[in-house]
Amino acid sequence: MQFFQFTEEQEMLRKAVREFVEAEIAPKAAEWDEKDYCPVELFPKMGEMGITGIFVPEQYGGAGLGHVERAICLEEISRHSAGLGIALMTHHLCVAGILYYGTEEQKQKYLPELAAGTKIGGLSVTEPGGGSDFMGQKSTGELKDGYWVLNGRKCFITNSHVADIDIWTVITGQDEKGRPVMTAFIIDPDTPGHTPGRKEHKLGLRGSVTGDVNCVEVKVAPGQMLGKEGAGAKIAMTTIQEVGRAGMSAINVGILRGCVEEGVKFANERIVYGKPIAKLQAIQFDIAETRLEYEAARLLTYRAAGMKDAGIPCATEFAMAKLYATEAACRAAKRIMDMMGGYGIINEYPIGRFLRDALASIPAGGTSHIQKLIIAGSTLSGK
Amino acid sequence: MSFNIAVCIKPVPDPSHYDKITIHPVNKTITREGIPTIINPVDKNAIEAALQVKEKWGGKVTVITMAPPSAEENLREALAMGADEAVLLTDRAFAGADTWATSYTLAQGLKKIGHFDLIFTGTESADGATSQVPAQLAQWLKIAHLWNVQQFKITNKEELQAQMKIENGYIEYALKLPALLAVSRECNKPRYTTIMGVMKAKKKPLITYTADDLDLNKDFIGLKGSPTQPGDIYTPELGRKGQELTGEVEEIVAQLIQKLRAAGLNLESWNACAVGRE
Ligand SMILES: Cc1cc2nc3c(=O)[nH]c(=O)nc-3n(C[C@H](O)[C@H](O)[C@H](O)COP(=O)(O)OP(=O)(O)OC[C@H]3O[C@@H](n4cnc5c(N)ncnc54)[C@H](O)[C@@H]3O)c2cc1C
């Protein structure tokens, strides 16, 4: 067995991203949260850094790296702004859909601008009928006069109001057994009938836009189909399982690191009884538990990301990473908040935001219940 | 028209770890163990200046440092920013060098690599902060030099114009190449190291030279070759004491000026500047 260690390049990459984050993101994260503003202007800058196209091959304008490197970027960004973290991670869902399932033509058409961050991506799957009931989607696609006509309403969609390129899943028919046939389409910017709807006012992960996206008689050419007819379920599922949950895991690893670092800082600086509270054993226990949760989440996340890069199926591993990292981030942020006494609930300190961001991470990418179903399913079947 | 450009950089302790720096009570040496280094901040402006010249006019950028072997990491970062080649001068014999010995060693290192049209440095290092190396290095190389450069423009292959920042303005100079410019923070905004840059950096050459590789007068290097030897080194008392000044406003101001003078503040130089400005 090899022990877990990043390569020299990965360490350098982390340092480079950290420098960028500390200059461009950290100073503004609280304001974005307060104003619920998604900093779209950062996408081209993240493009220049190589972040928006981190796992896109160089031939399509990306950095040509993998999912471990992507997780590093998301961890570093979410250490300071999990809101921007989820906006970026969802952009990557659109990128992954096109990269792994698109035709050569589609890759050449969409990936360079998505990698450069001059276009923002989204993935619209969830519907009002229940995100967990994946196959119960109601949106439809009908072939009429050589065009696919899409109709439906998607909700809880990240980047709903800022995405240029949107991937949709719709039901395009039924198979012999009467089961729905799901197909995915890439929708271009400014396609008539494709519009954002209501914008949610969220508890956490503010700094990313979440809202409805509607399709009313949206005409798309057959060339916009992603994969073949009926491939939509697989495309959306694997993208959410192996890229979406990966993203939510890494975002929450970032939040957990924030909890450790902010906790240590506060414990060393806060003087009670004439000495820093870090000298109190009870406080040390808080720090120890938080550090442990950060390390455990980190190991689960990067292990799964390493598997993804090695081409090994990793849906269960990401379900574990996502479940653990998000639940641990909620516990850790609450614990450090309590440790900070009255200061914990003061918004000058980021810990309250970390807690809200962690809580908002639970449903995104599938609820904790759903992750447990996946883990149990594979465990009980002996996988 | 293209330029062969060198940039001298120095690894310095990361300021976010300054609280861990201590002075050994007996040896009086600074313990830096476990403290990571960064590229001296203003040296990044020097790298940026070099890269901008290269991007506009063409050429090649070589970064060089005299430092312990761990400086390889700092050089890799400079390569990731966009430099083409890095040179590390490292040897136990170089240790303990003052600015004179450092500038001599750097000069011999640069001579070994080749001829440079332009050499960039930062104005000062965040740790030593003497600002002496740039001028000394240029003197060893017998080339024109300017310190505290806030802006510069290359006019042709032989000449450049540069603004040297002074207290209340700047002086404009024309310099013949080859020349050395010690740039200030105002000169530019250093670019971020991109992920693509990091990936390219590992394939770029990083050459190490020891004392034996260079044409050196061994009496000019390291601690032995250093005419300056530090005397005592101590941690200053940083206790604050408050003091109340009483009386009429004029009296209080007079007392304040007296106290500031007594504390060693040179108020005259400021006055002179203020008068000159009118
Ligand atoms: C911040 C954020 C961003 C999001 N971004 C996107 C996006 O970009 N694109 C997108 O398509 N979607 C997105 N979503 C939607 C997300 O995928 C859904 O919220 C999620 O799938 C849950 O669906 P739901 O909210 O409809 O809850 P429901 O499915 O209605 O679930 C309600 C409750 O029932 C439980 N439940 C449901 N089924 C089961 C079961 N079989 N067993 C046990 N318990 C069950 C759930 O765990 C939950 O407690 C986002 C959500 C959030 C919060």
Side-chain angles (χ1 to χ4, degrees), chain A residues 86 89-91 93 121-134 137 154-160 166-167 169 202 204-206 208-211 240 245 248 357 359-371 373:
Chain A
I86 193 174
M89 100 89 187
T90 309
H91 169 82
L93 294 184
L123 174 67
S124 297
V125 174
T126 305
E127 294 189 2
S132 308
D133 183 12
F134 179 79
Q137 291 177 39
K154 301 286 182 179
C155 66
F156 291 131
I157 305 307
T158 305
N159 296 342
S160 52
D166 188 10
I167 297 179
T169 49
K202 302 195 297 296
L205 296 172
R206 293 154 67 84
S208 68
V209 184
T210 312
I240 291 167
R245 284 171 199 155
M248 291 319 296
D357 290 345
L359 288 167
S361 299
I362 300 283
T367 64
S368 291
H369 296 135
I370 296 298
Q371 308 313 320
L373 290 184

Side-chain angles (χ1 to χ4, degrees), chain A residues 252-286:
Chain A
N252 282 272
V253 171
I255 297 176
L256 280 160
R257 200 176 93 224
C259 293
V260 175
E261 290 175 0
E262 295 295 332
V264 166
K265 190 159 167 258
F266 188 87
N268 281 327
E269 283 171 4
R270 176 67 175 150
I271 311 282
V272 181
Y273 312 112
K275 55 181 196 259
I277 58 167
K279 300 271 181 222
L280 301 170
Q281 246 180 15
I283 300 293
Q284 292 176 5
F285 288 1
D286 286 344

Side-chain angles (χ1 to χ4, degrees), chain A residues 8-9 12-13 15-17 19-20 23-24 47-51 54 62-63 65 73, chain B residues 37-39 44 72-74 76-77 80 189 191-196 198-199 201-202:
Chain A
E8 218 173 289
E9 281 80 35
M12 260 179 93
L13 180 154
K15 197 168 160 232
V17 175
E19 249 183 66
F20 172 78
E24 301 282 340
E48 279 171 31
M49 284 296 295
I51 294 170
I54 182 88
L65 295 168
C73 295
Chain B
T37 60
I38 56 165
I39 296 176
K44 281 203 170 178
E72 210 172 285
E73 196 186 315
N74 308 99
R76 282 269 173 239
E77 190 183 339
K189 183 176 182 285
R191 66 195 60 193
Y192 295 116
T193 304
T194 68
I195 291 169
M196 288 71 89
V198 166
M199 300 319 291
K202 65 176 171 186

